[in-house]
Amino acid sequence: MDKNKKAVTEMENGNLEEAAKLLNEAIEENPKNPVAYVNFGNLLSAVQEEERAIIFFNKAIELDEYQATAYYGKGNVLFNQGLYLEAIDAYQEALARDLKEGDVYYMLGLSFYQNGDLSRALPSLQRATELNPTDVDAHFQYGLTLAQLEQIEESITMFEKVLQLNPLHADSYFNLGVAYSYQEQLDKAVMMFDKALELQPDHILSANGKKQLEKLLQQGDERK
């Protein structure tokens, strides 16, 4: 196993110092190998040394402009820094270089979402769910985006899918409650808020939603 692969294994096992040592050696032995710079960038990103990580990702790109994983790693750092437009550019560069993986589409969609561009977030998040059909986060974020674009039926389907994947996902029950409220299915909405509170008793949004709906239901009963 070469030092790059050994370093990745050490990172996966949490042995970051040993990984850094191996990557330093790999770079010294072959300073033109972009993969070592990408791996070092990932390592630095993992320990929140983000500015240094960017330097290593940029060095990998300088050595090989088709090094798609360097753009993806750079995108992740930019996303964590709240630089969503720059992150979008980096993820799109990764996709243009054939890193068409679910995680890239998810992060691209999330970047559009955080930047308030929901209509462009939607297709990326949809693609992420298609490529990673068991990814709870991708399905949940796709559901949120559908809901905010007022595609309520579709969002309900997606939150139900999240609950198939993870029956303990309190936020999905909350969002189902909101969706059913939007559809004026108030009893069903209260049930969803109750399920969220069963799973997470301090789920404040669900508690508030339930309180407001119960008040509306009570007012409706009084009018009868």
Side-chain angles (χ1 to χ4, degrees):
M1 187 183 293
D2 69 24
K3 288 181 178 177
N4 266 305
K5 290 180 180 176
K6 283 182 183 176
V8 170
T9 300
E10 295 295 344
M11 277 193 275
E12 290 171 348
N13 292 332
N15 302 322
L16 301 186
E17 286 188 16
E18 181 61 23
K21 176 175 174 289
L22 287 165
L23 289 171
N24 268 319
E25 291 173 1
I27 289 170
E28 286 175 5
E29 290 168 12
N30 186 1
K32 299 293 186 183
N33 181 3
V35 175
Y37 291 95
V38 173
N39 289 335
F40 216 129
N42 289 332
L43 173 61
L44 291 166
S45 180
V47 296
Q48 280 79 52
E49 291 193 36
E50 294 179 334
E51 295 304 325
R52 287 187 66 206
I54 289 284
I55 291 170
F56 276 81
F57 290 130
N58 283 338
K59 180 63 177 178
I61 292 165
E62 178 188 320
L63 290 168
D64 178 9
E65 65 175 301
Y66 295 100
Q67 192 69 36
T69 53
Y71 293 99
Y72 177 62
K74 182 178 178 179
N76 290 340
V77 173
L78 293 166
F79 179 89
N80 290 336
Q81 293 177 329
L83 300 172
Y84 302 120
L85 285 174
E86 290 90 337
I88 287 166
D89 287 341
Y91 293 133
Q92 288 177 328
E93 292 285 1
L95 289 171
R97 286 156 179 78
D98 279 337
L99 191 64
K100 292 182 168 63
E101 296 180 359
D103 289 346
V104 186
Y105 282 103
Y106 172 66
M107 291 307 300
L108 177 59
L110 201 55
S111 299
F112 280 126
Y113 182 92
Q114 293 291 346
N115 202 49
D117 193 346
L118 301 184
S119 60
R120 294 182 74 188
L122 198 66
S124 294
L125 292 169
Q126 180 180 7
R127 187 62 181 143
T129 64
E130 291 166 353
L131 291 171
N132 287 341
T134 60
D135 187 327
V136 170
D137 291 338
H139 284 82
F140 180 70
Q141 194 63 46
Y142 183 36
L144 278 183
T145 307
L146 286 164
Q148 291 190 32
L149 289 169
E150 298 187 6
Q151 298 183 38
I152 304 303
E153 283 294 339
E154 294 86 347
S155 75
I156 287 172
T157 300
M158 201 49 51
F159 292 131
E160 288 174 343
K161 174 66 176 176
V162 174
L163 290 168
Q164 289 173 18
L165 295 169
N166 177 11
L168 305 180
H169 202 282
D171 285 341
S172 285
Y173 278 116
F174 165 71
N175 280 282
L176 280 171
V178 173
Y180 287 129
S181 301
Y182 192 89
Q183 292 183 331
E184 299 184 358
Q185 299 186 61
L186 303 189
D187 289 325
K188 206 166 183 179
V190 171
M191 285 174 56
M192 295 300 107
F193 291 143
D194 278 337
K195 286 183 177 292
L197 289 164
E198 283 173 24
L199 292 168
Q200 189 179 324
D202 63 347
H203 202 289
I204 295 170
L205 292 173
S206 291
N208 289 340
K210 179 184 176 183
K211 186 177 178 180
Q212 290 172 14
L213 290 188
E214 286 179 336
K215 188 184 292 185
L216 285 172
L217 287 166
Q218 184 179 0
Q219 289 170 357
D221 290 340
E222 289 171 355
R223 291 193 193 103
K224 289 176 182 177

